[in-house]
Amino acid sequence: MVPVIVARDLRKTFKDLVAVDNISFSIEEGEMFGFLGPNGAGKTTTMRMIQCISPVTSGSLEIFGMDVSDHQREIKSLMGVVPQENNLDMDFTVYENLMVYSRYFDIPKEEAEERVEELLDFVQLTDKKDTMTESLSGGMKRRLILARALVNRPRLLILDEPTVGLDPQARHLIWDRLRLLQKNGVTVVLTSHYLDEVEKLCDRLVVMDNGDILVEGSPSNVIEKYVGSGIVEAENDPQLLECLNEREASYEVIGDLVHIYTDDPKQITDYLTMECSITKFSARPATLEDVFLRLTGRRLRE
């Protein structure tokens, strides 16, 4: 596959603040790629450089083989953007929002009308086409913003927190639409605070913190590499730590809890019960939250 986005030693500074610190990554055509990290990690700044709305301080950033510093108009014509905020025009109907936006791309009126009808069907808003936008639910507004981002039939779709604030049903509908877009060859890049969203949707991801990339890979490989497939949680206790050290188990003390990292939770729980006489514990699958916690000592959403 041909890389759609290639960043080499990408850096962004604001006076003395280093927002993005010499990061490198590539995103292949047709991938769904995620940027994960806490507020202030550098995700949004990276997205703004990709969108050609914030200049690169140093390093290089190419999209479809074009440098973002020299080919902004061409790159933007191939891109659709779903911002975090709902910036629809509330004085227009659902249909009018899409038609007005189509004019920015000089799409002929008849062709635009056809595309708008297709997109309304795609995001399941056909029955709301003549509804004033301000009266839509939060989930409907997010779907309309997604439809608007697709008016120019982009090859690259950028989404900043696409399902923030939505209920589970609305989130899953958005997920289904994104999977269909990817199936049709659209490259999707997203940032999200929802760990399950990134784990379920993304082929690959990077975890960012303090402007740097900590890890890169598929969600399952990142979890497996840094914490194993399972976590056993138990109360911090000297007897427990002695048992774990004797076994040379991989663990982390986190406040009043101990996180034991393992690919075989049952083996660990059996050992704690039979060999250490410890019965108060719980086992669960490992997540990207555990990866970030182990790498930084902090939670993603503290």
Side-chain angles (χ1 to χ4, degrees):
M1 291 189 292
V2 178
V4 170
I5 302 175
V6 179
R8 300 183 183 90
D9 299 321
L10 186 62
R11 183 177 176 87
K12 178 67 180 183
T13 60
F14 299 95
K15 294 185 178 179
D16 295 331
L17 173 65
V18 179
V20 175
D21 193 8
N22 295 317
I23 65 173
S24 298
F25 60 88
S26 66
I27 300 174
E28 303 297 322
E29 185 175 2
E31 271 195 307
M32 198 172 307
F33 192 94
F35 284 81
L36 186 64
N39 291 331
K43 308 186 307 297
T44 298
T45 302
T46 302
M47 293 300 101
R48 288 173 61 83
M49 288 189 283
I50 291 174
Q51 293 170 42
C52 304
I53 57 178
S54 182
V56 173
T57 300
S58 64
S60 66
L61 178 60
E62 294 183 352
I63 301 177
F64 297 111
M66 296 178 283
D67 192 294
V68 295
S69 300
D70 303 322
H71 299 277
Q72 296 179 12
R73 183 181 294 274
E74 297 96 319
I75 291 170
K76 287 181 178 180
S77 71
L78 299 171
M79 182 187 301
V81 178
V82 176
Q84 183 174 348
E85 67 279 2
N86 288 333
N87 59 353
L88 298 163
D89 194 320
M90 298 301 167
D91 295 326
F92 290 161
T93 65
V94 167
Y95 184 84
E96 289 168 340
N97 259 285
L98 299 182
M99 284 299 296
V100 168
Y101 193 71
S102 71
R103 297 175 190 169
Y104 294 115
F105 299 95
D106 295 323
I107 302 171
K109 185 173 184 290
E110 288 188 4
E111 183 180 349
E113 290 173 344
E114 183 178 340
R115 288 192 194 184
V116 167
E117 294 290 350
E118 290 175 356
L119 288 169
L120 289 174
D121 180 63
F122 179 72
V123 297
Q124 299 182 15
L125 286 176
T126 300
D127 61 339
K128 299 290 184 181
K129 63 181 293 186
D130 297 321
T131 301
M132 296 302 294
T133 303
E134 66 178 349
S135 66
L136 297 177
S137 67
M140 290 178 182
K141 288 175 182 175
R142 294 307 285 170
R143 281 148 54 192
L144 179 56
I145 290 174
L146 175 60
R148 187 186 64 184
L150 299 174
V151 162
N152 61 320
R153 293 181 176 166
R155 292 168 56 191
L156 171 64
L157 182 63
I158 308 293
L159 305 105
D160 188 3
E161 302 288 349
T163 63
V164 64
L166 300 187
D167 61 60
Q169 182 177 359
R171 290 178 67 207
H172 281 86
L173 196 151
I174 295 286
W175 292 0
D176 289 342
R177 301 302 95 179
L178 294 181
R179 291 189 182 102
L180 281 173
L181 289 169
Q182 184 189 23
K183 187 176 180 180
N184 290 328
V186 178
T187 303
V188 180
V189 179
L190 65 89
T191 71
S192 179
H193 277 92
Y194 294 116
L195 301 171
D196 60 333
E197 185 162 88
V198 174
E199 288 185 34
K200 287 181 171 64
L201 289 178
C202 293
D203 301 304
R204 288 191 302 129
L205 61 89
V206 292
V207 178
M208 294 188 69
D209 191 35
N210 295 321
D212 196 12
I213 291 176
L214 302 181
V215 295
E216 178 179 349
S218 71
S220 59
N221 287 345
V222 166
I223 292 170
E224 184 73 25
K225 179 177 179 180
Y226 289 94
V227 294
S229 59
I231 301 284
V232 176
E233 290 183 340
E235 292 183 3
N236 190 358
D237 179 88
Q239 181 186 354
L240 171 63
L241 299 183
E242 183 179 342
C243 286
L244 294 176
N245 289 331
E246 184 176 318
R247 187 181 175 83
E248 297 184 350
S250 176
Y251 70 89
E252 202 92 43
V253 177
I254 302 170
D256 295 330
L257 293 175
V258 176
H259 279 191
I260 307 163
Y261 306 113
T262 177
D263 290 323
D264 191 345
K266 185 178 184 304
Q267 187 181 70
I268 290 293
T269 55
D270 286 348
Y271 172 74
L272 294 179
T273 302
M274 293 184 288
E275 301 296 330
C276 306
S277 300
I278 294 172
T279 57
K280 292 183 178 181
F281 51 75
S282 62
R284 60 173 175 78
T287 69
L288 290 169
E289 177 77 55
D290 297 307
V291 173
F292 188 80
L293 182 61
R294 187 165 199 194
L295 290 173
T296 68
R298 296 182 287 112
R299 295 189 181 277
L300 270 167
R301 286 179 283 179
E302 284 186 338

